[in-house]
Amino acid sequence: MTGRPEAPVLSPAGTRVFQQLVMTGEASRTALAHDTGLTPGAITRAVRPLLAAGLVHETGDRASTDGALGRPATMVTVQAGAHQVIGVKVTGDQLFGVVCDLRCEVLDEVTVPVGDRRPEALIQQITDLVAGLRADRPTVGSVGLAVSGDVDAGSGHVAYSPFLGWHDVPLGAQVAERTGLATTVENDVRALLTGERWYGVGRGLSSLALVTVGAGIGCALLVNGQVVHGSFGVAGEVGHVLVDPDGPLCHCGNRGCVEAIAGSAGILDRMAQAGFGALGIGDVADLARSGQSDAVRVLGDAGRAVGIGIATIANLVGAQHIVITGEAISDEHDYDVMDPHVRRAFAERAFGSAASAAIELRPLRFVDWARGAAACAVENFVTHYGRS
Ligand SMILES: [Zn+2]
């Protein structure tokens, strides 16, 4: 990772203030002192190099006032366009790329089909996509890539990605070398969590769980303000929490995992066994809404399995807020069908005060994945700004 040559060295306090400003967009010096625990003098010293680098600017004549004295507040505002990033969600079928500013506003987006998913060909496709998005955007300075599977964010190495069929691919190093841009690689669900942590519901929270329900059941955890990566790259595998020892076979080799019951393949298999072949998840939801008993049962079981899974998370780590999202609840249909089952099972299984966690089900747009990748690039830029 390289900063720009002219980047001033930020103190740890400077980094903290820069992070806070990128999260909030703008803040008064008083609010910055309050939110970071720094003294007003430390805030002044922290803001100075950011002003000099053109990453923030100040305005002094806001209608709002600063504290009880009633003085006009000096607002410090992020220059969101000063550094742009490219985020790419890499799948076996498509590359989905966005250009974002420091506030993770999407400025441009593109989707391209994947021709050949072998590493050499796909890395070249990613490089070409970055080059296309970067044209005429001189402030693009970094890239974030989101990949499903076992990813070492520190090294940018993809250890294993089942959907891509990749083993031990040095993705980050390859893309950095070919594009000349600092490149961050993260597991796709952790990238989504990073987006929520910086720009969404996770701002200001010390613990947050994000669960994706789709072909697989993914989960990323923020605990004590840190994204959990696991000692061996695996953590939060809620998809393989046991729900029913006599349940359907899971691809992991066990029976009755959350993923075997609530993953889209599990749902469609159970509908096929009931005589409903060739359906999509949306069709199952439509059937359930019309009162068809098999669809009601299968989606009810799926919602219940997800509820047990998130109760397990709440019981283990005491998450404040749990977001459930993903392609299986990507339109309003499925989500209203599963929602009460998720909440009921959660309420039954969460122990004591762990049940206080806020549960939020929401659709997932595909652009959110790429935006999560972009958030990882912003996080890397802000956290390492001015350091080698
Ligand atoms: Zn399993």
Side-chain angles (χ1 to χ4, degrees):
M1 309 296 168
T2 53
R4 288 191 237 162
E6 72 273 23
V9 175
L10 293 187
S11 64
T15 300
R16 181 77 191 86
V17 167
F18 192 17
Q19 289 172 334
Q20 188 66 25
L21 284 167
V22 167
M23 282 185 190
T24 57
E26 66 173 11
S28 69
R29 285 170 180 259
T30 305
L32 282 172
H34 176 266
D35 293 341
T36 60
L38 296 167
T39 64
I43 295 294
T44 298
R45 287 190 296 279
V47 168
R48 197 176 293 135
L50 297 171
L51 282 167
L55 293 164
V56 302
H57 69 278
E58 283 188 311
T59 47
D61 295 311
R62 288 304 172 102
S64 60
T65 54
D66 196 358
L69 297 176
R71 296 177 306 198
T74 300
M75 301 299 289
V76 184
T77 306
V78 167
Q79 291 278 33
H83 181 90
Q84 295 178 353
V85 302
I86 291 172
V88 185
K89 158 77 166 170
V90 181
T91 77
D93 304 314
Q94 287 184 325
L95 297 177
F96 196 86
V98 292
V99 182
C100 290
D101 63 17
L102 283 175
R103 294 281 298 135
C104 232
E105 292 295 324
V106 175
L107 308 172
D108 198 0
E109 58 183 79
V110 65
T111 307
V112 297
V114 165
D116 181 346
R117 61 178 72 161
R118 284 175 295 183
E120 170 60 31
L122 192 46
I123 287 169
Q124 189 56 47
Q125 250 202 308
I126 293 167
T127 303
D128 294 344
L129 179 142
V130 168
L133 284 172
R134 191 182 176 188
D136 303 324
R137 292 186 180 276
T139 61
V140 166
S142 41
V143 176
L145 305 173
V147 182
S148 71
D150 182 354
V151 172
D152 179 359
S155 66
H157 209 84
V158 178
Y160 176 47
S161 181
F163 290 117
L164 295 177
W166 284 12
H167 291 270
D168 298 321
V169 176
L171 176 62
Q174 289 277 317
V175 172
E177 185 181 316
R178 294 182 193 198
T179 63
L181 298 172
T183 301
T184 309
V185 184
E186 183 54 286
N187 165 273
D188 55 354
V189 184
R190 286 187 205 133
L192 273 181
L193 179 82
T194 300
E196 290 296 329
R197 180 190 184 191
W198 280 75
Y199 304 105
V201 73
R203 283 184 300 178
L205 295 184
S206 66
S207 69
L208 170 71
L210 187 144
V211 176
T212 57
V213 180
I217 309 289
C219 176
L221 298 172
L222 183 75
V223 176
N224 294 336
Q226 302 290 321
V227 176
V228 179
H229 284 88
S231 299
F232 306 102
V234 175
E237 278 294 342
V238 69
H240 301 284
V241 164
L242 174 67
V243 173
D244 176 4
D246 300 317
L249 195 62
C250 182
H251 65 87
C252 75
N254 295 299
R255 283 195 175 276
C257 298
V258 173
E259 189 162 306
I261 298 167
S264 45
I267 290 172
L268 298 180
D269 279 354
R270 299 182 83 199
M271 287 303 291
Q273 285 163 15
F276 293 88
L279 298 178
I281 292 292
D283 302 323
V284 182
D286 287 342
L287 283 171
R289 205 168 307 97
S290 72
Q292 202 285 322
S293 60
D294 294 299
V296 168
R297 173 178 53 82
V298 167
L299 280 186
D301 288 349
R304 180 172 167 275
V306 171
I308 291 172
I310 61 170
T312 305
I313 295 170
N315 291 346
L316 289 176
V317 302
Q320 285 166 275
H321 194 113
I322 302 175
V323 177
I324 303 164
T325 186
E327 64 222 58
I329 43 176
S330 62
D331 49 30
E332 287 71 22
H333 321 289
D334 309 337
Y335 150 47
D336 66 321
V337 173
M338 283 175 67
D339 188 308
H341 302 278
V342 172
R343 290 178 192 278
R344 191 177 312 126
F346 175 78
E348 286 168 7
R349 297 294 183 110
F351 180 75
S353 299
S356 307
I359 307 296
E360 179 188 356
L361 274 82
R362 69 159 96 127
L364 176 63
R365 300 169 303 154
F366 212 70
V367 68
D368 294 330
W369 289 109
R371 194 165 168 266
C376 294
V378 173
E379 178 181 59
N380 186 57
F381 172 72
V382 171
T383 305
H384 297 102
Y385 185 73
R387 299 181 197 161
S388 58

